[in-house]
């Protein structure tokens, strides 16, 4: 193992440049087509729950949503019944010990006027001196639930590619708002990256704590944040055991899962590189240190 290995982060990327105004890093996720198992939006909600934040803007309401497609929700409160309309909120998380603060964009994929929608988000991001963007998404794929959740990180920006040793996505086809927003940020001169996780398509119901946990772990690698994820780990382990029992009870599904396992194991053999092992060990040490600080229990194998 290379002892000099250090996972590149967005914080180190920002630290390599000079700014007169304190910069921010934009994190964005949206409920909808690109949020399988509600994993991406759930991951950002957990980041907000674990930090003190300031609400800075609302994007949406009547200009962007078809309410027959994205239904508003009603709920009863002490003051009477209220309506929660689909919208996108923007929050700022101050990270005084890091090189940049976070600007979290969390909401519902719009139905109409995507370019105007993106322009409003970019306008807010400019006001907060955004220097980099990370969009999150989760998709359904032919992957077995019994193997580590596949994640990918990509960017079209040459500097981000060099810093993170990543490549541009080779996907061509229909896109959701995370991809469109990333392209619009790139065109505006603010470089973007895309983080994706894959959910087994035969267990597509929400929530999917295991995929959400995979995204949280990647966020902890890329950003100077730590999320208390013990409950999420317990939920992910229970989810996996539940799916194991369901698949074992159906011979056809069990056979299909075995086929996916064989295909995955064959394709993943080259991935056991020194860097991937070092990254996993670094994540393990960080998680152990976090548990010692907060007094949480043991680690979980999921």
């Amino acid at each position: 193992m290379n002892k000099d290995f250090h996972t590149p982060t967005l914080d180190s990327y920002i630290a390599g440049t000079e700014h007169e105004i304190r910069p921010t890093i934009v994190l964005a996720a949206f409920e909808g087509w690109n949020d399988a198992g509600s994993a991406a939006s759930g991951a950002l909600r957990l980041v907000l729950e674990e930090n003190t934040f300031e609400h800075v803007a609302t994007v949406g309401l009547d200009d962007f949503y078809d309410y027959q497609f994205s239904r508003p929700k009603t709920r009863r409160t002490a003051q009477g019944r209220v309506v929660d309309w689909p919208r996108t909120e923007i929050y700022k998380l101050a990270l005084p010990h890091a090189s940049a603060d976070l600007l979290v964009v969390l909401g519902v994929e719009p139905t109409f006027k995507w370019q105007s929608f993106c322009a409003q988000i970019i306008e807010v991001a400019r006001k907060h001196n955004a220097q980099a963007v990370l969009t999150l998404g989760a998709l359904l794929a032919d992957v077995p639930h019994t193997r580590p959740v596949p994640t990918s990180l990509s960017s079209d920006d040459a500097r981000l590619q060099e810093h993170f040793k990543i490549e541009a996505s080779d996907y061509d086809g229909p896109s959701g708002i995370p991809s469109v927003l990333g392209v619009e940020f790139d065109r505006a001169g603010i470089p973007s990256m895309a983080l994706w996780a894959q959910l087994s398509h035969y267990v597509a119901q929400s929530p999917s704590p295991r995929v959400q946990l995979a995204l949280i772990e990647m966020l902890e690698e890329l950003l100077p944040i730590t999320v208390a994820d013990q409950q999420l780990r317990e939920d992910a382990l229970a989810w996996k055991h539940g799916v194991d029992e369901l698949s074992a009870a159906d011979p056809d599904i069990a056979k299909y899962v075995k086929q996916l396992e064989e295909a995955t194991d064959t394709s993943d053999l080259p991935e056991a590189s020194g860097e991937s092992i070092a990254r996993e060990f670094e994540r393990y040490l960080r998680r152990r240190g976090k548990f010692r600080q907060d007094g949480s229990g043991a680690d979980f194998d999921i």
Side-chain angles (χ1 to χ4, degrees):
M1 184 185 301
N2 181 5
K3 294 183 179 180
D4 296 329
F5 175 81
H6 295 287
T7 303
T9 67
L10 275 166
D11 193 57
S12 62
Y13 171 81
I14 298 296
T17 57
E18 295 183 0
H19 307 278
E20 294 182 1
I21 303 174
R22 183 165 174 79
T24 60
I25 298 167
V26 178
L27 298 181
F30 301 89
E31 298 175 12
W33 190 50
N34 290 146
D35 191 26
S38 300
S41 61
L44 283 201
R45 284 194 178 90
L46 191 55
V47 169
L48 288 175
E49 291 173 3
E50 291 292 319
N51 293 274
T52 301
F53 58 84
E54 170 193 3
H55 180 264
V56 297
T58 297
V59 180
L61 298 181
D62 291 339
D63 286 343
F64 300 115
Y65 294 103
D66 178 348
Y67 296 133
Q68 289 186 326
F69 180 76
S70 299
R71 293 277 179 174
K73 299 177 182 178
T74 60
R75 55 187 173 88
R76 186 179 299 280
T77 69
Q79 292 74 37
R81 186 168 293 278
V82 298
V83 179
D84 293 326
W85 298 94
R87 64 181 67 184
T88 292
E89 308 286 4
I90 304 179
Y91 309 91
K92 187 172 183 180
L93 278 64
L95 301 176
H97 301 297
S99 300
D101 296 327
L102 299 183
L103 205 62
V104 176
V105 180
L106 180 60
V108 180
E109 181 177 74
T111 315
F112 308 117
K113 301 180 181 179
W114 283 23
Q115 294 179 69
S116 297
F117 179 83
C118 292
Q120 289 192 20
I121 295 175
I122 292 171
E123 181 181 0
V124 175
R126 285 192 185 279
K127 291 179 180 177
H128 291 270
N129 194 25
Q131 295 296 314
V133 180
L134 178 61
T135 60
L136 278 69
L139 54 89
L140 300 177
D142 293 330
V143 295
H145 74 280
T146 54
R147 297 295 184 265
V149 175
T151 59
S152 64
L153 187 66
S154 63
S155 176
D156 288 334
D157 180 78
R159 286 185 58 207
L160 286 173
Q161 289 176 354
E162 173 62 24
H163 186 77
F164 288 94
K165 308 305 179 187
I166 57 177
E167 299 179 352
S169 170
D170 59 2
Y171 174 77
D172 295 316
S175 294
I177 196 63
S179 299
V180 172
L181 182 63
V183 170
E184 292 299 307
F185 264 111
D186 287 334
R187 291 178 58 191
I190 304 174
S192 72
M193 292 195 305
L195 172 60
W196 288 89
Q198 298 180 21
L199 170 62
S200 306
H201 69 88
Y202 53 88
V203 282
Q205 297 85 354
S206 298
S208 181
R210 194 160 180 263
V211 180
Q212 183 180 337
L213 178 61
L215 289 171
I216 288 291
E217 289 183 336
M218 285 296 295
L219 287 178
E220 288 183 327
E221 286 190 9
L222 297 168
L223 298 164
I225 59 173
T226 301
V227 177
D229 56 16
Q230 171 129 345
Q231 183 59 54
L232 184 59
R233 289 182 174 279
E234 293 175 355
D235 292 343
L237 187 63
W239 179 91
K240 180 177 179 296
H241 287 167
V243 178
D244 285 343
E245 292 176 358
L246 289 174
S247 60
D250 188 318
D252 291 335
I253 294 180
K255 180 180 179 181
Y256 179 63
V257 171
K258 183 174 178 59
Q259 292 173 346
L260 292 178
E261 289 174 338
E262 293 172 351
T264 298
D265 293 343
T266 300
S267 63
D268 282 354
L269 283 175
E271 296 300 321
S273 64
E275 285 196 359
S276 65
I277 295 172
R279 181 177 292 109
E280 184 60 31
F281 185 63
E282 187 176 85
R283 179 187 298 163
Y284 167 77
L285 290 178
R286 182 171 56 248
R287 192 162 64 235
R288 287 292 298 271
K290 177 177 63 181
F291 285 171
R292 290 194 185 100
Q293 286 181 351
D294 63 20
S296 299
D299 199 356
F300 293 91
D301 178 15
I302 59 170

